[in-house]
Each structure stands twice: as structure tokens, then as C-alpha cells.
Amino acid sequence: MQLLVATTRSTNSFYKTLLSPPLTTALLSSPHNNNKSTITISSCISRRRRSRPSIFLSSESHCLNLEITTNINNNNNNNNNNEKKMSPFLDQYIVATLFASLFGFIFLFVLRRNNNNKKLKKDAEDNNKIQSNIVQSSISTGDSSPEIASGVDVIVVGAGVAGAALAHTLGKEGRRVHVIERDLTEPDRIVGELLQPGGYLKLVELGLEDCVEGIDAQRVLGYALFKDGKNTRLSYPLEKFHSDVAGRSFHNGRFIQRMRDKAATLPNVCLEQGTVTSLLEENGTIKGVQYKTKDGRELRTYAPLTIVCDGCFSNLRRSLCKPKVEVPSSFVGLVLENCQLPFANHGHVILADPSPILFYPISSTEVRCLVDVPGQKLPSVASGEMANHLKTIVAPQVPPEIRDSFIAAVDKGNIRTMPNRSMPADPQPTPGALLMGDAFNMRHPLTGACLSKYLESFYTLRKPVASTINTLAGALYKVFSSSPDQARKEMRQACFDYLSLGGVFSNGPVSLLSGLNPRPLSLVLHFFAVAIYGVGRLLLPFPSPKRMWVGARLISSASGIIFPIIKAEGVRQMFFPATVPAIYRAPPVD
């Protein structure tokens, strides 16, 4: 056998390795035909003895031709083997192996997918059978806790704004709803008293618009912003809507009672007073709830779906989400009587130091005042420290037109406080149950858009409307609060001046605030437009290194405010909600 290989002089050591007895015949020839140097190695191998190879070398200049001739004498074959040439079969074997592996992988994938589908279908059937058996066995079992096995489609825990509206909507669709509320008397809260125009439109769609009638609710047409003795009015962009469309402000308890009464009028809605103590779980699926009635009895009720919307003090939240509750500040609430606000039918926001103050009407003769106090430690109300704080720190910053009424409300002594909680939505998907309202997600109530968010959250896809409201609330609170940082001060002033420009500069942010514009991209654009406007104020008419540095820090501060809030809300959920998979199980086939 002869093998032709091109080589150079530098491979002489390699050839010494090749010259081993098993080699038969090799001929190494250079592609250059002119100058040749030949080495001839003969090796004869017989059955009895092996002769040492002999080497004949003739050297010439550039290339090296090596000819190795080996004669093998064999008793079984006296004739010399003919020279053979090997064919490159290796590539064909590799290609065939790859195709075989690919077809095998596809076959295994299809087989495994079919098995998974069959398993999921079987699990669904088993779950339906288990649930049916639990409801049926609840009648005959001798458990120490009595069980209600009546046919219920949905259990609603809590009858606040979200719970009452949800019960009414599901009841109108023909579903059997069992609502369990810890206290059915009229609530007395200092927040949840302002319904934005977007929330009112949802009331109309749900057929609940009459719930704001007969409770002395006041129409709200926009906001008035005050800072350092200056003010600007921001009206809702309602030109394209019916004349009845506007915001509404009222006593929270009166509004909730009207919604409860509305839901209770439906024959398939059962409204019951009781305290839910636990969720009933089996094999990772919520089957119902256990609760204590008003007279102390322990009962259980079962349904395919349990909706928990029992407010910010929910004791069931930890079973369905990962709560990360923060308390950045607290509201101190007062009621001003027989007080005329500077701008009728408008909410008033005072950019005070250290944080904003809110005024808005809740009846024809009353005005709610909410003073934001940062931190978790408040001056004592009982000792009089709070009254002194309101008179000496807050009152001088209140507009002169309502200052006397403010001081009179402080002297009256009906001072109430409420912590402002913030908790991003971080659900832990649990079959058979879900969270809604303050039990699920809380943001600072500065914008007064919480009611609109609750109504929106179950009526349509929660994102991006709720995310826009949440992000706006968090961002505005940080911008409107005072800070010793010069960049934050410039951002605060830029926001006030930007909104004072009117036109698109005020209509855009106010439409976001009112719930009429659910697009989060508009929020981001307006927010950074305020920051750029602030940088322009700094650089004109003559920029200086110090002003340029403050401008750069202003942009950095704006990014530091809004991007963490967007991250907490979820970039994908906020801007691309259609790409978020939903958990949905088709109803059982009868």
C-alpha cells in the first residue's frame, strides 16, 4: 500500500515515529516535482524473523519524498498484496448518524408530549371528581364543624368596593355568589372617598352608577395645585364624554353601603356577616373557606372559586401571595365644616413641606383634609403633640381662604390617622382562589385613584390600567414631597411649572391621573418630559458647570424614581400584558 502525504523538513521527527514495523508501504512525495530528496526504507517481515529496516537517503533542496517499502511474506498468501486505495466513508457515517439522532429526538418529544397531555387531562378529571365528592360528602360527614354544601359558584371574602361590585356583576351573570363580610355596618374611613372619571365610567358599564346617588356625592372636575403662594387649575379632559361623566367624592361608608344593598337585591347573591378564619385546601387546590358567623358558629362553605378581597388588613393574603408591605407615611384626617374651597368642585393639592396636603369635598357641607406625615412614627394624638404639629407646621402652609376652617377642625379634636401602605402585586398562583383589591396590591392614595383601580381590576385585564395608576401614584408622591437634595427640588418645581403650561402639558398627565388614559408609555414620556423641562430651566439662559451638574443629577433622580416602580409592577405585565400567560381552566362539561 502506498500513501502520498505532503510534508516539509520540519517533520523529520514525525517520520521517525511512523517508521514502525506495522507500516507496510508509504510514499511521501512533495507537490513540487523539480527538486526531490528520496529516502527509501525497506523492511521485510517474515513469519520467523523480522529484518531491521534499511534506509537509503539522497538529499536535495526543498522537499522530501519518503518511500517506505515493506514486503510481507505470508505462508497463506505467497502473492504480494495489490495496492489499495481507501475511500472516504467516514463523512457518510457521520451524516447518517446525525439524521438518525434527529429523528429519534423528534419521536421522543412527540411521545412525551402526548403522555403529558393525557396526564393533565386525567388530573383535571380527578380534580373535578374530588371536588364533587367533597361537596357531596359534606352533608353526611360527622365533622365537628358544620358544613354548608349548597350549590355556590363563587365565594367572595369581603364586601368593600371590589367585593360588592364583583358580587353584583357575577350575580347579574347568573352565578351563585356567597359574600362573607366581617362587618356589614357602615364603614367609617378617611380614604377611598374620591372616584375618578375613569372609575365612574366603569360604574356605568357595571350598572352601578346609581350607587353615587342619594349620598350627597359631589362632582369633581379636576385639581388645583398650590406651591409657594402660586396656584394652577388642572381640569379633567371630559369634552368627548357625556355631561354626567365626572369624578365623584363622597363619604366612603355611604358609597359602600349602597353597593352592598345593590348586590343584595339579586336573588342568587347571599350576603352574610362573618369572619373567614382560613382557606380550605386539598392537594394544593383551594376548595372553600371556614368562617365564624356573627353568633359564633364555625361553618364551612365550598365553591369552585374563592375570591379574597378583604382589604389591607387581610389575614388570608399570605396564603395567596408574597406580601412585601411598606409604610412610607401616614395620613392625618380632618373634616372641615362649612368651608368654601378656592376652586369649587376641584380637589386641592398643596405642595407643602415636608409632604403634600389634600383637600376635597365629601358632601355639600364638609371638606376632607388629609395631611401626609412621612415615616412610621407619628406625633401622639392623645397628648396633644399632633394638634400642635398641625397648628405650627401645617397651618401656615394652608391657603389663607381655608386656614381658619383648618384650625377650627384641629381644635374640635376629631383627628384620625391611617398608615399609607405600599405593597406591589406579587401573586402566588393557587388553583381555586385569587386576590383582589387592597388585599392584593396597595399604592400611596395620593392620587385618589384607588377606587377606579378596584373597579378596573376585575372588569377588564388588570394590566396596564392598574399599573399606570400605581406607577403614577408612587412617582407623584416622591416628586411632590420635599427633599434637601437640590436635584429633587428642581424636579418638584419643574413638575409644577410643566403642569402650569396647560394644553397638552396638563391634559396628558391629568388624563392619566383620572383613569381616562390607561397607556403606561404616555406616563413614562410625560414623566421624562418634566425632567427634560427641568434641565432646560437650569441651562437657560446661561449654562454653568454647576447647573449642568444639577441637570444631570435631575435626570438621574427621575430615573431613580420611576424605574424601580416600573420594575416592581413588572415591565412585561405593564407594557406587554398580552404576552403574560393567564391561568384558565374550562368549566366542566355536563
Side-chain angles (χ1 to χ4, degrees):
M1 179 178 63
Q2 292 183 341
L3 176 66
L4 300 181
V5 181
T7 186
T8 61
R9 298 176 186 271
S10 62
T11 58
N12 289 338
S13 61
F14 176 70
Y15 295 131
K16 293 179 181 180
T17 305
L18 291 178
L19 302 180
S20 58
L23 291 178
T24 57
T25 303
L27 177 62
L28 287 84
S29 60
S30 170
H32 304 280
N33 296 324
N34 295 331
N35 299 320
K36 297 182 179 179
S37 179
T38 303
I39 300 177
T40 303
I41 302 176
S42 298
S43 178
C44 296
I45 303 176
S46 63
R47 187 197 312 181
R48 295 182 179 180
R49 65 184 182 87
R50 178 180 300 169
S51 60
R52 299 177 62 87
S54 57
I55 302 176
F56 304 95
L57 173 64
S58 62
S59 177
E60 292 184 11
S61 57
H62 298 295
C63 298
L64 180 66
N65 291 338
L66 177 62
E67 179 179 346
I68 305 173
T69 305
T70 305
N71 296 319
I72 301 175
N73 296 323
N74 199 310
N75 290 336
N76 297 327
N77 186 8
N78 294 327
N79 297 325
N80 294 331
N81 293 327
N82 295 326
E83 297 179 354
K84 299 179 181 180
K85 296 182 180 180
M86 298 180 64
S87 301
F89 295 104
L90 187 59
D91 292 342
Q92 298 179 9
Y93 289 132
I94 292 175
V95 173
T97 302
L98 289 176
F99 275 106
S101 301
L102 180 61
F103 286 127
F105 175 77
I106 294 174
F107 175 76
L108 291 176
F109 175 78
V110 173
L111 182 64
R112 183 176 180 182
R113 184 176 181 182
N114 291 335
N115 290 336
N116 289 338
N117 290 338
K118 292 179 181 178
K119 184 178 180 181
L120 290 175
K121 185 177 180 180
K122 184 178 179 181
D123 290 343
E125 293 176 354
D126 292 342
N127 287 337
N128 291 333
K129 292 180 181 178
I130 291 173
Q131 181 177 342
S132 178
N133 292 335
I134 289 176
V135 176
Q136 293 175 2
S137 64
S138 63
I139 302 176
S140 58
T141 55
D143 196 347
S144 59
S145 298
E147 297 178 351
I148 298 177
S150 59
V152 176
D153 296 321
V154 182
I155 299 170
V156 178
V157 182
V161 174
L166 179 61
H168 178 265
T169 303
L170 294 176
K172 283 202 312 180
E173 295 177 352
R175 303 182 188 277
R176 296 161 295 181
V177 185
H178 186 188
V179 184
I180 305 173
E181 165 60 37
R182 68 167 66 94
D183 187 3
L184 288 176
T185 60
E186 183 176 310
D188 185 15
R189 303 182 64 194
I190 63 173
V191 294
E193 299 172 317
L194 179 60
L195 182 67
Q196 297 286 0
Y200 179 78
L201 288 174
K202 291 304 172 186
L203 281 183
V204 175
E205 293 182 27
L206 295 172
L208 295 171
E209 67 274 14
D210 56 345
C211 291
V212 297
E213 298 175 1
I215 59 174
D216 199 14
Q218 303 298 300
R219 288 170 56 88
V220 179
L221 304 177
Y223 281 90
L225 206 59
F226 293 77
K227 185 179 185 299
D228 299 333
K230 299 179 180 179
N231 63 76
T232 182
R233 184 168 60 177
L234 310 172
S235 298
Y236 294 137
L238 301 174
E239 297 81 7
K240 298 180 180 180
F241 298 94
H242 189 270
S243 59
D244 190 51
V245 177
R248 295 292 193 278
S249 56
F250 37 68
H251 282 274
N252 175 268
R254 298 176 186 176
F255 177 63
I256 289 179
Q257 285 300 97
R258 286 298 304 268
M259 297 189 72
R260 291 174 177 174
D261 294 341
K262 184 85 171 179
T265 59
L266 299 175
N268 51 334
V269 175
C270 174
L271 195 62
E272 181 180 6
Q273 182 167 318
T275 302
V276 176
T277 57
S278 63
L279 300 173
L280 302 178
E281 180 181 348
E282 182 173 336
N283 298 327
T285 301
I286 302 301
K287 301 296 183 180
V289 300
Q290 179 170 325
Y291 67 101
K292 182 181 292 186
T293 64
K294 186 179 180 180
D295 54 6
R297 292 182 301 157
E298 290 281 349
L299 300 179
R300 293 181 181 180
T301 181
Y302 295 91
L305 176 63
T306 300
I307 302 176
V308 178
C309 43
D310 54 347
C312 59
F313 300 104
S314 172
N315 61 340
L316 306 175
R317 165 191 299 135
R318 295 186 179 276
S319 302
L320 302 174
C321 73
K322 302 172 184 177
K324 299 177 183 177
V325 181
E326 298 179 356
V327 183
S329 66
S330 296
F331 268 156
V332 179
L334 298 168
V335 175
L336 283 59
E337 297 178 347
N338 299 315
C339 173
Q340 296 296 325
L341 292 172
F343 296 91
N345 300 111
H346 282 70
H348 292 58
V349 182
I350 290 85
L351 303 187
D353 186 9
S355 52
I357 307 170
L358 306 180
F359 293 91
Y360 53 87
I362 56 176
S363 72
S364 57
T365 59
E366 297 169 304
V367 171
R368 171 68 71 190
C369 171
L370 295 175
V371 179
D372 186 83
V373 179
Q376 300 183 14
K377 187 176 181 180
L378 295 175
S380 174
V381 176
S383 65
E385 292 181 8
M386 179 63 74
N388 183 63
H389 172 79
L390 295 175
K391 287 183 178 180
T392 59
I393 304 298
V394 179
Q397 304 182 75
V398 173
E401 299 91 330
I402 55 177
R403 188 174 300 161
D404 292 340
S405 298
F406 176 82
I407 296 175
V410 176
D411 292 336
K412 190 175 180 179
N414 188 18
I415 302 174
R416 303 176 58 189
T417 62
M418 191 206 74
N420 294 321
R421 289 175 170 82
S422 177
M423 184 186 75
D426 189 9
Q428 183 175 334
T430 304
L434 57 87
L435 281 170
M436 280 183 56
D438 277 346
F440 177 52
N441 173 226
M442 293 178 284
R443 287 298 181 192
H444 198 284
L446 173 68
T447 58
C450 298
L451 298 182
S452 304
K453 180 182 70 175
Y454 301 155
L455 295 172
E456 183 74 31
S457 62
F458 72 87
Y459 186 70
T460 57
L461 185 66
R462 180 182 181 274
K463 306 287 184 175
V465 179
S467 293
T468 303
I469 295 173
N470 287 340
T471 305
L472 180 63
L476 277 184
Y477 177 71
K478 292 185 177 181
V479 172
F480 283 173
S481 299
S482 64
S483 172
D485 183 24
Q486 184 62 31
R488 291 284 295 273
K489 289 181 179 179
E490 292 293 338
M491 183 73 178
R492 192 186 195 199
Q493 185 63 46
C495 186
F496 180 83
D497 293 344
Y498 182 88
L499 295 173
S500 300
L501 294 175
V504 67
F505 304 103
S506 63
N507 288 341
V510 173
S511 65
L512 292 165
L513 178 66
S514 62
L516 298 174
N517 181 5
R519 294 186 291 273
L521 185 59
S522 298
L523 169 61
V524 175
L525 292 176
H526 278 288
F527 189 82
F528 279 102
V530 170
I532 295 172
Y533 178 79
V535 174
R537 290 177 62 258
L538 286 169
L539 299 183
L540 295 177
F542 302 107
S544 65
K546 181 180 179 180
R547 292 185 171 214
M548 294 175 64
W549 171 245
V550 174
R553 289 179 52 233
L554 192 154
I555 297 294
S556 176
S557 177
S559 302
I561 289 174
I562 196 167
F563 286 144
I565 300 175
I566 293 176
K567 182 180 179 182
E569 286 295 318
V571 176
R572 183 181 175 189
Q573 291 86 345
M574 188 171 177
F575 293 96
F576 311 102
T579 66
V580 179
I583 300 176
Y584 174 76
R585 179 178 295 176
V589 179
D590 296 333

